[in-house]
Amino acid sequence: MPSSNLTTLPLEILIQIASYLNTPDYQAIRLSCRGIEASLFRAFAQQYFRKIQFMRTEYSLQALVDISKSRFSSYLQHVVITTQLLSPRVAPNARWRPGNIESDAGEERFNRMCDDQAVLLNTGYDQHMLVEAFSNLKLEAVGIHGQPSHHMYHGPASYGISHIKRETLVNLRFDTAYAGELGRRTTYASCLQNVLLALGKSGSTPKRFEIDMYNSRVGDDAFNIPPFMEKVVSPVLTNLEAVDLRFHPCSESTSRLIAPRGQAPHKIETYYLRTLFSQLTQIKSLRIDSLRQSETFFEWLAAPVSNEGYDGPPGLEPPRSLTLPKLHELELNQVELRFNDLLTVIEKFSATLRKLTVSKTLLHLISSTPVVTPAPSVWPGLLARLARVGRCLTEISLDDVDVGSGYELSTIGFKDGGYSFSYAGPNMKKVLGDLVGSVRLVGEPSESEESDVEEDWGDDSSQGDVLGGFDFDEFMEMEEYDDLLDEIDQDLNEDLMIEAIFGLGQ
């Protein structure tokens, strides 16, 4: 009887064994023989090549081009491009290292990589490489991710970071250079525009687009699609079915003046974002995360669609309101909006909206009188209105939702003693109606708590009178640590990728 070995094992068992291996061991077993490599190829490709994150450097983008031309191209469905820029070290040993020629030479090599990246981006060659790669791929999702928040980031590194560390001893996982510090905000902002142009030029039309630029410290101009780009970019935007946005405009200089009908001219921080969103005509799923000071954005989202022509001052026409005739799912996370606007949004898209998720969100309560209305008498009426407009929903989830403004904040509690509620089923109106007598508002801020609240959540008289208790420190903690990407195995390294692309089976 012949002895058993790995080549004689059933494929299911071999794949199960491989699933317990770390990356170097997985690669070693694939290199042991062609038979095992062929047996494990599909499982390996699905695990390591389904989603990959790249930097805007020649080394990283060339890897994307190479993958797009390899046998792994059909497995790569989700590409993420980061806005990260390399920051030159101004002098040898700018970071603490042993003072020797090796470390000084490493820093010099790193500074030359910074120069090379600057040329790559300034000449637009990064877009050329993206077009070449996207033309060979059938992508389902594309993402733009901002520079990670150095030590607070625990997700996988971009492809190319390990290469830089090996060649220069500089560890970019702990890099703290940002656009404002480098004076290169425009270069950060151009990342989204270049990716959209590359998708349009390549004819690629992914169904999902992720924009996570919270840590990039860029302004609203990152979303500017000038007229000369519209013909190329519009097909990409109009074919999207899902958009995931995490963005905090950080530059007041990018605010733009508008003059809506019947209103005095005023500036808004999200003019270009709204203009881009107005082209998302096929969206079925929309997620908005961490859009701070976002009340006016949601007021615009809730505004009715108008067919009237603009008759205001030339050049000050506001972005048209969204129609979203196919919106099925709306998720709001870590945002601020008026409770009335939330109700109006649900009602506006009631023909198709079926799933609503609201988490870690502050709902401003606007009082029609200058007299503070006691929370217990106001909240049942608000829930009653939610029950009326929410009858269109078949699924709802509320988690850590606060009502109020400034220091007068309260968390919504439910009858089970928790702060979360979810329901999926056909009896939405009755279920929401039953909440009227069972919810409670929890949290009366003490003096010490009030003194710890950040100014960003300070009292704003324009918001009216509102309700009791909000733990801002906890909110910020969740925001910092919730920025984890877990789609790629954290053991992924470039040596494995190169071996996989140029190794056995080619």
Side-chain angles (χ1 to χ4, degrees), residues 173-217:
R173 274 186 172 269
F174 303 100
D175 196 65
T176 57
Y178 286 101
E181 298 166 4
L182 298 170
R184 296 184 285 176
R185 182 179 58 80
T186 302
T187 309
Y188 276 80
S190 66
C191 183
L192 172 62
Q193 296 151 337
N194 275 339
V195 169
L196 288 175
L197 271 174
L199 289 170
K201 290 180 179 180
S202 66
S204 181
T205 53
K207 296 301 182 183
R208 184 177 189 88
F209 203 84
E210 302 169 351
I211 305 171
D212 185 350
M213 301 179 71
Y214 187 86
N215 287 319
S216 290
R217 301 188 181 182

Side-chain angles (χ1 to χ4, degrees), residues 159-349:
Y159 186 93
I161 284 184
S162 297
H163 167 74
I164 292 174
K165 184 178 179 181
R166 288 195 304 269
E167 295 294 319
T168 70
L169 306 181
V170 175
N171 188 353
L172 291 183
R173 274 186 172 269
F174 303 100
D175 196 65
T176 57
Y178 286 101
E181 298 166 4
L182 298 170
R184 296 184 285 176
R185 182 179 58 80
T186 302
T187 309
Y188 276 80
S190 66
C191 183
L192 172 62
Q193 296 151 337
N194 275 339
V195 169
L196 288 175
L197 271 174
L199 289 170
K201 290 180 179 180
S202 66
S204 181
T205 53
K207 296 301 182 183
R208 184 177 189 88
F209 203 84
E210 302 169 351
I211 305 171
D212 185 350
M213 301 179 71
Y214 187 86
N215 287 319
S216 290
R217 301 188 181 182
V218 297
D220 180 54
D221 56 343
F223 299 91
N224 183 17
I225 307 298
F228 71 86
M229 290 176 55
E230 288 180 355
K231 185 176 180 180
V232 177
V233 171
S234 289
V236 179
L237 298 176
T238 55
N239 278 281
L240 291 175
E241 296 182 359
V243 169
D244 188 335
L245 172 70
R246 187 170 186 258
F247 172 65
H248 180 200
C250 294
S251 176
E252 294 183 359
S253 64
T254 59
S255 297
R256 292 294 173 259
L257 187 67
I258 61 172
R261 178 185 295 271
Q263 299 182 32
H266 59 276
K267 286 189 174 184
I268 58 174
E269 289 187 341
T270 53
Y271 172 82
Y272 291 121
L273 175 61
R274 300 182 196 188
T275 303
L276 185 147
F277 264 47
S278 64
Q279 299 187 55
L280 305 178
T281 56
Q282 303 299 313
I283 288 296
K284 298 178 181 178
S285 175
L286 176 60
R287 184 177 189 268
I288 300 177
D289 188 341
S290 301
L291 187 63
R292 290 297 181 82
Q293 299 176 342
S294 53
E295 296 94 331
T296 57
F297 178 84
F298 286 104
E299 183 179 358
W300 167 77
L301 183 64
V305 178
S306 175
N307 295 320
E308 298 181 9
Y310 178 69
D311 58 359
L316 300 184
E317 182 176 359
R320 66 178 185 271
S321 182
L322 291 181
T323 55
L324 303 184
K326 298 183 179 181
L327 184 64
H328 178 84
E329 178 180 354
L330 177 63
E331 182 176 351
L332 307 178
N333 183 60
Q334 295 191 22
V335 296
E336 299 177 48
L337 71 157
R338 297 179 179 89
F339 188 87
N340 284 339
D341 289 337
L342 176 62
L343 297 177
T344 306
V345 166
I346 298 172
E347 193 168 21
K348 177 180 179 180
F349 302 112

Side-chain angles (χ1 to χ4, degrees), residues 9-28:
L9 290 176
L11 179 59
E12 295 81 1
I13 296 178
L14 182 61
I15 293 176
Q16 185 69 15
I17 292 173
S19 68
Y20 290 98
L21 301 178
N22 58 29
T23 302
D25 290 342
Y26 201 149
Q27 182 64 352

